[in-house]
Amino acid sequence: MKLFLDSANLTEIREAMAWGGIDGVTTNPSLVAREQRDFFPLLKEICETVHGPVSMETTCRDAAGMVDEGRVFAKLHPNIVVKCPLTKEGLSATRRLTGEGIRVNVTLCFSAAQALLAAKAGAYIVSPFVGRLDDISSDGMELIREIRTIYDNYHYATQILVASVRHPRHVVEAARLGADIATLPFGVLEALVRHPLTEIGLERFLKDWEQLSATSGRKGL
Ligand code: G3P
């Protein structure tokens, strides 16, 4: 399963690339706005930093506007994947952009019916938001299970990108269900690494080594 970072923050992106082995980045208007930077230079810097797909969301509500924006984004860098919302206008824009060879990540997906339409529109990626479903006492991972079944039944090439991830269990469950990608906030990526028994075990190894060094009078190897 590919892991993407859900962030427009270059410090997080660079650190995640150093040890997290991230395969790409997803952004959205809220994440970009949080950086308080000029949009195009930021987007270009992210694309030049990440060795994989970078999703950038259109900000229009109409298909024509999304198509115009998507064409501009796509010209910025070959890594760009254009994000369009799962609306009628977004699906129309997806068909048009895909027809021009521009990859589209259809986002804000909350049902299997929507995901079916995204695949039929030729989406490169579909982004079901599992955390926001869990937030309203629905079952985000059940949606992933449904989409995986439907896409496998009809051999749709659209990749399932599990988004709105809240904790490591979402990542593990996504991998168990056969999702293609999970996109994680930086804090969740860090949480993937952490385990108390690892910390305890490391401290014990190093303490025992230090005692050996103390008794033998030899520092280090
Ligand atoms: O960027 C898309 C998605 O991952 C955002 O999720 O619910 O954390 O805002 P959320």
Side-chain angles (χ1 to χ4, degrees):
M1 184 173 78
K2 286 175 271 192
L3 293 181
F4 287 10
L5 190 70
D6 199 30
S7 173
N9 181 285
L10 275 153
T11 303
E12 289 181 350
I13 292 169
R14 290 193 178 100
E15 184 175 341
M17 286 186 67
W19 52 261
I22 56 165
D23 304 295
V25 159
T26 52
T27 69
N28 63 45
S30 305
L31 292 172
V32 172
R34 200 176 296 170
E35 296 308 307
Q36 295 288 305
R37 281 190 52 183
D38 285 351
F39 168 65
F40 283 108
L42 170 64
L43 186 58
K44 199 160 172 53
E45 195 172 348
I46 292 172
C47 288
E48 287 163 355
T49 305
V50 179
H51 312 307
V54 175
S55 287
M56 185 59 225
E57 191 159 340
T58 56
T59 56
C60 295
R61 294 175 188 276
D62 64 301
M66 290 179 206
V67 170
D68 289 344
E69 281 188 313
R71 286 170 179 155
V72 172
F73 293 169
K75 286 195 176 81
L76 262 178
H77 197 280
N79 285 356
I80 286 285
V81 176
V82 177
K83 259 187 171 181
C84 294
L86 221 156
T87 60
K88 288 179 185 174
E89 294 297 311
L91 290 171
S92 174
T94 298
R95 289 179 182 280
R96 291 169 59 186
L97 289 167
T98 301
E100 296 175 14
I102 295 172
R103 297 177 298 177
V104 179
N105 175 351
V106 177
T107 190
L108 287 167
C109 173
F110 293 96
S111 75
Q114 285 182 319
L116 176 59
L117 291 175
K120 290 176 68 67
Y124 175 66
I125 287 171
V126 67
S127 290
F129 280 33
V130 297
R132 293 192 191 184
L133 285 168
D134 290 357
D135 291 346
I136 60 165
S137 303
S138 185
D139 185 343
M141 295 319 293
E142 178 54 28
L143 172 58
I144 303 305
R145 189 177 290 109
E146 284 187 309
I147 297 171
R148 182 74 282 163
T149 301
I150 292 167
Y151 281 20
D152 290 352
N153 287 347
Y154 298 96
H155 311 293
Y156 286 128
T158 301
Q159 296 180 77
I160 303 169
L161 183 153
V162 178
S164 188
V165 166
R166 295 279 188 274
H167 46 70
R169 286 307 307 173
H170 274 156
V171 183
V172 172
E173 283 304 307
R176 291 178 65 180
L177 290 169
D180 301 284
I181 309 163
T183 193
L184 322 178
F186 186 73
V188 174
L189 185 67
E190 281 188 314
L192 289 185
V193 182
R194 282 196 300 268
H195 196 291
L197 291 181
T198 304
E199 302 296 326
I200 291 166
L202 179 61
E203 286 315 307
R204 185 172 302 164
F205 286 159
L206 297 181
K207 186 168 177 294
D208 290 346
W209 184 258
E210 280 159 15
Q211 280 171 351
L212 170 66
S213 304
T215 51
S216 66
R218 187 182 61 206
K219 275 289 175 210
L221 292 174

